[in-house]
Amino acid sequence: MTVRLSDDARQLISLFEAETDATVRDCIIDDEYDRVIFLVTEGQMGQAIGAGGEHIQSVEEQIGKPIKLVEDADRAEDFVANALAPAAVYNVTISENSDRLAYVEVAQEDRGAAIGKDGRNIDAARILADRHYDIDGIELT
């Protein structure tokens, strides 16, 4: 699947990669929650964050917005679980009916983390899952 990036997203990716030496696969400028979401190549999350969070803090200061990082994955199930971090995800099942839905099993105490304040975490997961795996929705179970 091909993801199209705006010029602003390309500039943010360039800035982020220059600051962190991590590779970004996607960038979403989320005006609804006034943040930027970066999809980082699998295995590079530590590099993206930096020691004590120094890399992410530096980029946040430069762009003036909070950043959400999501680690990429080869399988849709793993991708959805990563997108819902920091919630502990036990299982993800993708339905292959007319609508592709991801059913996500999380502990009751982690439902709030999976959803996020005002739904911002699950919203980011839904956007990314649709862009990268044609998943139409995410349901917590």
Side-chain angles (χ1 to χ4, degrees):
M1 168 177 290
T2 302
V3 174
R4 297 187 190 271
L5 297 170
S6 68
D7 289 340
D8 289 341
R10 290 176 202 271
Q11 289 175 343
L12 290 171
I13 288 171
S14 179
L15 170 68
F16 190 87
E17 289 180 340
E19 283 290 322
T20 67
D21 288 327
T23 303
V24 174
R25 301 239 10 254
D26 194 5
C27 174
I28 297 169
I29 301 169
D30 185 356
D31 292 326
E32 182 176 353
Y33 296 111
D34 194 36
R35 65 180 173 176
V36 177
I37 303 165
F38 288 106
L39 179 63
V40 178
T41 299
E42 188 172 12
Q44 294 188 353
M45 187 63 92
Q47 180 64 34
I49 295 169
E54 67 184 347
H55 292 159
I56 197 167
Q57 289 173 357
S58 174
V59 176
E60 284 178 335
E61 288 172 8
Q62 291 180 59
I63 66 175
K65 291 184 179 193
I67 293 171
K68 175 172 177 64
L69 295 179
V70 176
E71 187 172 13
D72 199 6
D74 290 333
R75 296 179 46 235
E77 294 85 354
D78 297 331
F79 186 87
V80 170
N82 288 351
L84 291 172
V89 174
Y90 295 130
N91 187 43
V92 177
T93 304
I94 309 290
S95 75
E96 296 294 340
N97 299 322
S98 59
D99 287 338
R100 287 190 79 207
L101 296 176
Y103 294 96
V104 182
E105 183 181 346
V106 296
Q108 187 64 32
E109 62 270 13
D110 273 350
R111 287 182 69 81
I115 295 168
K117 183 180 178 185
D118 299 324
R120 68 184 66 214
N121 287 351
I122 198 163
D123 187 51
R126 286 177 177 141
I127 292 167
L128 287 166
D130 181 39
R131 283 171 67 105
H132 293 274
Y133 286 96
D134 288 326
I135 294 173
D136 299 310
I138 297 174
E139 300 291 329
L140 299 181
T141 61

